[in-house]
Amino acid sequence: MAISPRLIRRRIKSVTNTRKITKAMELVAAAKMRRAVQATLASRPYAEAAWRAITEISAIKGAVNHPLLNGRAVSGDEDTARKETGRILIIAMHSDRGLCGGFNSQLMRAYAAFARTGDGAGKTRDVVAIGKKGQDAHARAGSQVVAAFEGITDKPDVARARPIAQLAMNDFNAGTYDEVWLAYTDFKSALTQTPNVKRLLPITRIEGLGEVGEAVKEGVAKAGVTPDFLFEPSPEAVLDAMLPRLVEAQIWQALLESSASFHSAQMMAMRSATDAAGEMIDDLTLSYNQARQSGITREIAEISSGKAALEK
């Protein structure tokens, strides 16, 4: 059945309006992505410097007994082992909004693999869901969501990231959880974002998170400077002050990486939608021209038939 040219024109107009919207959203996402990438790159040297200081302090005899470093409870001069609970906490960083392609679903697949065959297999898993899409996804998956935060990943803020770190450290130090893990998306480039599930507590260096580029590392190595730190009042007191800040820095860095990844994924999704709308408009325009030409041909045939009938 032939489609009316009028209906095709309406559909072309509708798709054209949709393309304008997706193009505008692409430009907005690109601007937000640039700001998020700048913030991500700017915070990496701080994270690198913090890790160097922690490494120097941890090398001192006795300093490694801090509970956030080795997961052991320290009371006075006694070092007691923690009681295993079989429970772990996962801080999952999703987005608050959709229209971002497979950003959230890829992170959920990484979490599912971690829960099924990774270090989370066979353990009771509680989730701190960051982002509304994360709350919905983990609720559908049947996960136990113990806390939820919204409105952070779109535009991360240090003040709003601090309660997340405090919640994780309090529950870990209280012995509620054996480990705390981060599920986030690592920003590589505008085209590549990698979902990861990495351990946060006991504190360990999360590979790739907050690391500076090779050029900066080579510059430090060429300088040949090996600082000799003097800690006052003691290495343990310095660790007590620095380690909570380091946990906050890692969560903050993961939020920045996830934010940059979200805006990149949204930009690419909107670009794909804009391109698809353009292709649809081309196809509809061809169909419109064919229908219009068919109508013109039919009218000419009818006029010719009528003229022939009159001549007879």
Side-chain angles (χ1 to χ4, degrees):
M1 180 179 178
I3 302 177
S4 169
R6 181 181 297 177
L7 294 178
I8 298 178
R9 281 201 308 270
R10 289 178 180 174
R11 187 150 187 214
I12 290 175
K13 184 178 180 180
S14 175
V15 176
T16 301
N17 292 335
T18 301
R19 183 174 64 172
K20 291 179 181 178
I21 294 172
T22 56
K23 184 63 178 178
M25 293 182 67
E26 176 192 345
L27 296 177
V28 171
K32 289 184 177 180
M33 183 201 72
R34 284 192 292 270
R35 289 196 296 268
V37 170
Q38 290 173 357
T40 301
L41 296 178
S43 65
R44 286 178 177 176
Y46 169 80
E48 186 72 22
W51 269 113
R52 287 203 305 270
I54 293 298
T55 302
E56 292 290 338
I57 300 174
S58 300
I60 299 175
K61 183 177 180 181
V64 293
N65 285 330
H66 197 282
L68 289 179
L69 282 175
N70 56 19
R72 298 176 67 84
V74 179
S75 177
D77 295 331
E78 296 182 1
D79 185 7
T80 58
R82 294 168 59 97
K83 294 182 179 180
E84 296 291 334
T85 63
R87 299 179 65 189
I88 59 175
L89 181 68
I90 298 95
I91 303 174
M93 299 181 177
H94 295 262
S95 66
D96 288 285
R97 295 181 288 122
L99 300 177
C100 53
F103 174 78
N104 291 298
S105 59
Q106 289 175 3
L107 186 60
M108 282 301 297
R109 282 196 291 270
Y111 169 76
F114 167 80
R116 185 174 58 253
T117 60
D119 293 325
K123 298 179 181 178
T124 302
R125 299 175 300 276
D126 292 343
V127 176
V128 174
I130 300 176
K132 190 175 186 308
K133 295 296 180 180
Q135 299 177 42
D136 298 339
H138 285 284
R140 288 193 301 269
S143 303
Q144 180 65 33
V145 178
V146 295
F149 297 85
E150 296 183 12
I152 298 179
T153 52
D154 187 40
K155 190 176 180 181
D157 181 78
V158 176
R160 301 188 68 182
R162 190 167 291 120
I164 303 172
Q166 200 62 49
L167 170 67
M169 288 185 291
N170 289 344
D171 287 346
F172 178 76
N173 288 331
T176 305
Y177 300 107
D178 297 332
E179 297 173 337
V180 178
W181 292 72
L182 276 178
Y184 69 101
T185 304
D186 195 16
F187 177 81
K188 302 296 185 183
S189 68
L191 298 176
T192 307
Q193 301 90 37
T194 307
N196 290 314
V197 182
K198 302 290 186 179
R199 195 183 76 183
L200 175 66
L201 294 174
I203 292 179
T204 183
R205 182 72 184 258
I206 299 179
E207 183 179 355
L209 178 61
E211 290 186 0
V212 297
E214 292 299 325
V216 177
K217 292 181 180 180
E218 291 176 3
V220 173
K222 289 180 180 179
V225 178
T226 305
D228 185 14
F229 291 104
L230 178 64
F231 302 104
E232 293 290 346
S234 66
E236 291 79 6
V238 175
L239 277 180
D240 285 337
M242 287 192 64
L243 287 180
R245 303 288 83 79
L246 182 61
V247 174
E248 293 175 3
Q250 290 204 94
I251 293 178
W252 167 241
Q253 189 68 41
L255 281 171
L256 290 175
E257 301 281 349
S258 295
S259 178
S261 298
F262 163 69
H263 292 306
S264 299
Q266 188 177 59
M267 181 188 70
M268 297 308 299
M270 292 300 99
R271 180 176 300 175
S272 298
T274 302
D275 294 342
E279 294 175 1
M280 185 178 294
I281 290 172
D282 292 340
D283 293 340
L284 288 171
T285 302
L286 178 60
S287 299
Y288 171 76
N289 291 334
Q290 289 174 342
R292 184 169 175 268
Q293 184 62 45
S294 176
I296 293 172
T297 303
R298 185 174 63 254
E299 290 174 0
I300 293 174
E302 291 174 353
I303 292 171
S304 300
S305 299
K307 183 175 181 295
L310 290 175
E311 289 177 350
K312 288 181 181 180

